[in-house]
Amino acid sequence: MGYIEKTVAALKKSKYAIAFTGAGISAESGISPFRGENGIWNKYKEQLFEINYFTEHTQDSWSMLCDGFYEAMFKAKPNEAHTALASFEKEGLIKAIITQNIDDLHEKAGSKIIYSLHGNASKLRCIKDGSNYYVKFFDLKTAPRCKICNSMLKPDFVFFGEMLPEYDMHMSLKVSLKCDVMIVIGSTGTVYPAASIPYYAKRNNATIIEVNPTPSAFTNEITDIFIPMKAVEAMQNIRTLFYQQR
Ligand code: APR
């Protein structure tokens, strides 16, 4: 039985399947991953996403963020891997998505239960009073400021040096310790604490299915079914076979 057949069999047998996604699921939507060929870190230093650099070099940081990330994000549309997960959620097959991504593409694809470990770049947050705004209402050529207290607004994603959102981390742990199948799509599995989540699923004896054209840090450690494909092709194949066998 091939890896797609094994994956569909595991999903059909599952009582509580969840997904864990990384930047690779959005690569085919035109958003560069962080590592690997044309990765963001090949072009920009990680300081681009460092909170101290942002607060000390705000204007410079905003222009790099626009160039390196926001431009692609505003153009990006969910791809068939995002929409496959959303339709599996509608079927009651996928109970939740845990994502490291900040590109809002799972939301745009229609998924509802999403735990965003690294926040979401479609929003801005006031560093003083915490008020939240949608980034699309701002012209990012000048550093955006809070409409209430005029303090600096930051992208509502987790910069290096910031804590991960407590609720999303708590819920990610909770569903990972409950799931019997976790499908891991497009992550190097190298950035903690997010990368620890699939290990919790494994500890709960979940079947770990991994979709990635190249092996990751998870592959030889916890992966039970490795699908050496890009996200769109893999999810198209899984979705087609799943519905054929209905
Ligand atoms: N389909 C599936 N996987 C892909 C595809 C694709 N089309 N293209 C690339 N990949 C895989 C790569 O092989 C790699 O394993 O996606 C992964 C991308 O790796 P990273 O960019 O490191 O993504 P991720 O693991 O999500 O990074 C984690 O690092 O910089 C931080 O906060 C940032 O959330 C990010 C975190």
Side-chain angles (χ1 to χ4, degrees):
M1 198 196 269
Y3 36 68
I4 300 293
E5 289 77 5
K6 279 188 201 153
T7 296
V8 171
L11 286 171
K12 289 169 83 76
K13 209 172 84 193
S14 72
K15 299 261 177 311
Y16 199 92
I18 63 175
F20 176 89
T21 65
I25 195 173
S26 299
E28 291 157 276
S29 293
I31 296 187
S32 307
F34 291 92
R35 295 165 191 83
E37 58 176 289
N38 32 308
I40 290 178
W41 299 143
N42 300 348
K43 208 172 153 200
Y44 297 94
K45 292 193 195 60
E46 286 198 359
Q47 74 188 48
L48 173 69
F49 280 38
E50 253 168 28
I51 190 65
N52 296 334
Y53 185 84
F54 177 81
T55 45
E56 281 144 34
H57 309 81
T58 312
Q59 194 53 53
D60 179 24
S61 204
W62 270 113
S63 42
M64 283 200 296
L65 282 168
C66 289
D67 183 51
F69 179 75
Y70 275 107
E71 225 164 84
M73 181 184 148
F74 290 142
K75 284 186 227 150
K77 299 248 180 307
N79 62 49
E80 285 195 65
H82 298 105
T83 54
L85 289 178
S87 67
F88 282 158
E89 181 188 55
K90 282 197 189 83
E91 292 281 334
L93 182 70
I94 290 282
K95 307 293 184 196
I97 294 177
I98 302 165
T99 189
Q100 301 170 94
N101 299 343
I102 58 176
D103 55 35
D104 205 44
L105 289 179
H106 285 304
E107 290 80 352
K108 288 197 173 111
S111 292
K112 299 279 178 279
I113 312 293
I114 304 166
Y115 302 118
S116 299
L117 294 173
H118 293 161
N120 189 314
S122 70
K123 298 215 181 94
L124 300 175
R125 181 177 294 279
C126 173
I127 58 167
K128 189 146 170 268
D129 68 19
S131 41
N132 234 322
Y133 302 86
Y134 281 104
V135 69
K136 62 187 174 194
F137 296 123
F138 289 82
D139 159 14
L140 299 179
K141 287 194 183 48
T142 46
R145 303 198 73 87
C146 179
K147 301 278 183 219
I148 300 169
C149 69
N150 201 36
S151 304
M152 185 195 298
L153 295 182
K154 70 172 276 289
D156 199 19
F157 58 69
V158 178
F159 280 70
F160 289 116
E162 286 189 304
M163 297 289 286
L164 271 61
E166 221 171 288
Y167 172 76
D168 295 81
M169 194 61 193
H170 169 78
M171 290 309 294
S172 298
L173 286 174
K174 197 163 167 214
V175 296
S176 298
L177 288 169
K178 183 174 174 180
C179 74
D180 53 4
V181 170
M182 175 183 271
I183 183 162
V184 176
I185 306 174
S187 181
T188 43
T190 53
V191 177
Y192 284 81
S196 64
I197 294 297
Y199 291 87
Y200 284 99
K202 188 69 184 177
R203 188 192 298 179
N204 187 47
N205 294 321
T207 300
I208 307 293
I209 300 160
E210 186 180 7
V211 174
N212 198 324
T214 45
S216 72
F218 298 128
T219 311
N220 295 329
E221 290 289 312
I222 56 171
T223 299
D224 299 300
I225 304 170
F226 183 63
I227 304 175
M229 284 179 173
K230 291 187 172 183
V232 167
E233 184 190 5
M235 293 310 291
Q236 278 171 336
N237 290 359
I238 292 164
R239 191 177 184 177
T240 306
L241 188 59
F242 178 81
Y243 287 109
Q244 264 170 6
Q245 291 184 357
R246 284 291 291 258

